[in-house]
Amino acid sequence: MAGMAQEEGSSSLTSSPLQFFPWMPLSPGTGSPYPWLRELKSEDRGLCLIHLLLACANHVAAGSIENANIGLEQISHLASPDGDTMQRIAAYFTAGLADRILKGWPGLHKALNPKQASLISEEILVQRIFFELFPFLKLSYVITNQAIIEAMEGEKMVHIIDLNSFEPAQWINLLQTLSARPEGPPHLRITGIHEQKEVLEQMALRLTEEAEKLDIPFQFNPIVSKLENLDLENLRVKTGEALAVSSVLQLHTLLAMDDEMHRRNSPSGYKNPNSNHFQRVQVNQNRRTLGDWLERDVVNAYSSSPDSALSPLSLAASPKMGSFLNALRSLSPKLMVITEQESNHNGFNLMERVTEALNFYAALFDCLESTVSRVSLERHKVEKMLFGEEIKNIIACEGTDRKERHEKLEKWILRLELAGFGIIPLSYHGRLQANRFLQSYGYDGYKIKEENGCLVICWQDRPLFSVSAWRFRRYD
């Protein structure tokens, strides 16, 4: 089997996606060795880039550096961070693949990627741009707040733990809604968790001002900490408080801490996949969109890695996640609302991660292509500083360095049920509010779907984010 994997991974240009364009011969020489690449029409170029990316990723997974280098060179003549959707995606995927290769030479990698102190302002800026350009976070906040309002009806003391406290808009909206409660607003305490002190200071300032304006008794408890280092004693949950927990795109980061155990328990998950599917996939002469091609051909070209199985064993082998959820459960929350990316980027198998990421980020890039100018500085920043860095992390990193371990809703449901939580079906009113929000602000192409009592936010028909509500089973 190992010999087979090596043979497939080192098949050089004989198994290159260039075979799908036989009317375009390779022409070595000075300058661009593949001048015909620049003459491809947009759709042909997109299909060619997909083939080239998958072939290159296959070579990287097999450790065939020479062939991977050839693939990267071919892609470089087509990819561009300023081009169309597929050109932009290809630019960031090739950066991730190249970074993974470079990590084989740690000294070279460190020399080319010196550690730099990240600018807090830049990090927050790109998060705010994502918030403004897409409706995903806004929808998450609308759905979460509605669930909190319904769960906390009649409560006089409400405590909310925000596991990613950086955007005051969510809680300003909640304060305004609570102020209109017929029985009057409760005493509200929000515990905000973020690793940057300055972010929490801004949150405290904005929320305190709004609470004073609305005459709502309010406290903000800031905790400067990464989620994996959080000491739950600092949450200071008091007797008599009705507790709610809000987690927006955060829980998956804890899965990185369990990577070494997964390596020991599932060593086969790191073997190179037996996948020489490139030779069997033919370019359909009928015109397809990028999304159609990815969905119908690319996804089916690779089988899932062992860790993708939804077995209690694979879910139980996550001590950090398990202990964190158990600690939250011990606080007896009345409600916990979780928003996560709806994609599986946590496989041991590199090819599976690349394929899943291509589907997921193709949809996000397509959202921007449909709504924002290609020359927009904000679009460029969110693509490079947010999506590009996530793609690189998914492809190039392993172990505790790989933080972007997104998983699908079905797996989160099993994991949370094993931890002693019971699902709360999100109300029709919550879904109605979310749909009204999309209509009011003209977000064409976005959809809300119900799945197992949870809500899934889609671009066209592609699920991208899920929102689910939970409670400690004592309240069942």
Side-chain angles (χ1 to χ4, degrees):
M1 182 66 73
M4 183 182 298
Q6 178 61 32
E7 181 181 343
E8 291 168 355
S10 58
S11 51
S12 190
L13 291 177
T14 59
S15 63
S16 166
L18 294 174
Q19 67 175 304
F20 299 108
F21 302 88
W23 64 92
M24 298 175 178
L26 264 68
S27 55
T30 58
S32 171
Y34 316 112
W36 52 267
L37 287 174
R38 297 186 181 277
E39 299 171 7
L40 290 174
K41 294 180 180 179
S42 178
E43 183 172 340
D44 290 335
R45 181 177 60 226
L47 291 175
C48 184
L49 274 169
I50 293 168
H51 284 301
L52 287 168
L53 278 172
L54 291 173
C56 183
N58 196 40
H59 290 314
V60 173
S64 180
I65 306 304
E66 183 177 351
N67 288 324
N69 181 61
I70 292 172
L72 289 173
E73 184 184 2
Q74 294 168 352
I75 296 168
S76 71
H77 296 290
L78 296 176
S80 168
D82 303 311
D84 60 27
T85 300
M86 195 59 225
Q87 287 179 302
R88 290 170 182 246
I89 292 170
Y92 295 112
F93 271 81
T94 51
L97 290 169
D99 195 64
R100 186 179 179 94
I101 293 171
L102 272 179
K103 286 187 175 182
W105 292 272
L108 182 60
H109 184 267
K110 289 178 182 177
L112 292 173
N113 298 274
K115 284 189 176 182
Q116 297 178 347
S118 59
L119 292 174
I120 300 169
S121 57
E122 285 292 313
E123 291 179 8
I124 298 304
L125 174 62
V126 75
Q127 291 288 343
R128 293 271 157 78
I129 294 173
F130 177 72
F131 176 79
E132 293 297 336
L133 294 185
F134 295 91
F136 302 119
L137 290 181
K138 300 184 187 79
L139 286 169
S140 169
Y141 297 161
V142 167
I143 296 165
T144 298
N145 285 359
Q146 181 59 32
I148 291 173
I149 292 294
E150 292 171 6
M152 299 302 171
E153 185 177 357
E155 296 288 354
K156 297 189 183 328
M157 295 179 64
V158 175
H159 184 182
I160 298 172
I161 299 171
D162 183 359
L163 299 183
N164 183 28
S165 191
F166 88 95
E167 177 51 64
Q170 175 179 11
W171 306 126
I172 288 175
N173 174 264
L174 182 69
L175 284 165
Q176 293 169 348
T177 306
L178 288 174
S179 70
R181 243 180 25 165
E183 67 270 33
H187 181 286
L188 179 63
R189 190 153 65 97
I190 294 179
T191 294
I193 300 159
H194 198 278
E195 55 186 287
Q196 303 294 350
K197 181 181 178 182
E198 293 87 344
V199 173
L200 294 174
E201 288 174 346
Q202 286 298 313
M203 285 286 291
L205 180 63
R206 291 285 308 281
L207 297 181
T208 301
E209 286 178 351
E210 187 68 22
E212 288 176 353
K213 186 169 66 175
L214 297 169
D215 196 24
I216 294 178
F218 175 76
Q219 287 178 290
F220 187 81
N221 175 34
I223 298 179
V224 181
S225 173
K226 291 185 177 180
L227 195 59
E228 62 263 29
N229 300 327
L230 178 64
D231 182 356
L232 267 66
E233 291 294 323
N234 293 331
L235 298 177
R236 298 187 298 183
V237 177
K238 299 175 182 177
T239 303
E241 289 182 330
L243 181 65
V245 180
S246 171
S247 175
V248 179
L249 310 182
Q250 282 299 292
L251 279 188
H252 66 264
T253 61
L254 294 176
L255 295 171
M257 307 302 292
D258 297 321
D259 188 74
E260 290 306 316
M261 176 169 284
H262 281 298
R263 285 176 184 267
R264 291 194 296 270
N265 292 345
S266 304
S268 60
Y270 284 90
K271 291 181 181 178
N272 183 56
N274 178 17
S275 53
N276 195 23
H277 297 274
F278 304 116
Q279 295 181 354
R280 295 197 291 273
V281 179
Q282 297 296 323
V283 176
N284 192 325
Q285 295 304 312
N286 296 325
R287 294 297 181 187
R288 296 183 184 180
T289 66
L290 170 61
D292 288 339
W293 196 90
L294 284 167
E295 183 68 25
R296 298 178 194 176
D297 292 307
V298 180
V299 170
N300 297 323
Y302 297 94
S303 58
S304 297
S305 61
D307 68 307
S308 295
L310 296 175
S311 67
L313 181 62
S314 67
L315 294 171
S318 301
K320 182 65 178 180
M321 177 66 74
S323 64
F324 184 81
L325 291 176
N326 287 335
L328 285 181
R329 184 168 58 87
S330 70
L331 300 175
S332 300
K334 195 170 185 181
L335 175 73
M336 179 164 69
V337 187
I338 297 171
T339 301
E340 282 290 336
Q341 290 88 344
E342 182 63 6
S343 193
N344 180 29
H345 300 146
N346 194 27
F348 290 139
N349 183 312
L350 175 63
M351 288 306 302
E352 181 188 353
R353 296 208 306 267
V354 168
T355 304
E356 285 276 342
L358 265 175
N359 275 281
F360 182 78
Y361 288 99
L364 288 176
F365 276 70
D366 191 42
C367 293
L368 291 175
E369 182 73 6
S370 301
T371 57
V372 185
S373 166
R374 290 182 182 178
V375 298
S376 165
L377 182 60
E378 287 77 15
R379 174 178 175 177
H380 179 72
K381 282 188 175 182
V382 81
E383 287 177 343
K384 180 181 180 180
M385 297 171 62
L386 184 60
F387 300 155
E389 289 303 309
E390 289 179 356
I391 290 167
K392 184 185 291 186
N393 188 266
I394 290 166
I395 294 175
C397 297
E398 296 294 349
T400 55
D401 290 335
R402 182 155 57 86
K403 302 292 186 183
E404 304 301 334
R405 293 171 176 266
H406 314 143
E407 293 189 338
K408 291 190 175 182
L409 176 61
E410 55 191 354
K411 204 161 184 177
W412 284 111
I413 289 175
L414 285 178
R415 177 177 285 115
L416 285 153
E417 287 178 343
L418 281 171
F421 287 90
I423 198 164
I424 305 175
L426 290 164
S427 70
Y428 171 77
H429 190 57
R431 181 177 178 181
L432 184 64
Q433 280 196 326
N435 279 317
R436 282 177 176 170
F437 173 83
L438 288 177
Q439 293 168 4
S440 299
Y441 290 90
Y443 282 111
D444 296 331
Y446 294 93
K447 300 178 183 178
I448 308 289
K449 294 183 179 180
E450 189 275 335
E451 184 177 319
N452 297 316
C454 310
L455 294 181
V456 178
I457 308 169
C458 308
W459 167 249
Q460 306 299 348
D461 291 316
R462 164 75 192 186
L464 291 176
F465 296 88
S466 67
V467 186
S468 57
W470 303 83
R471 63 181 151 196
F472 177 40
R473 286 210 180 103
R474 193 188 74 180
Y475 285 97
D476 289 344

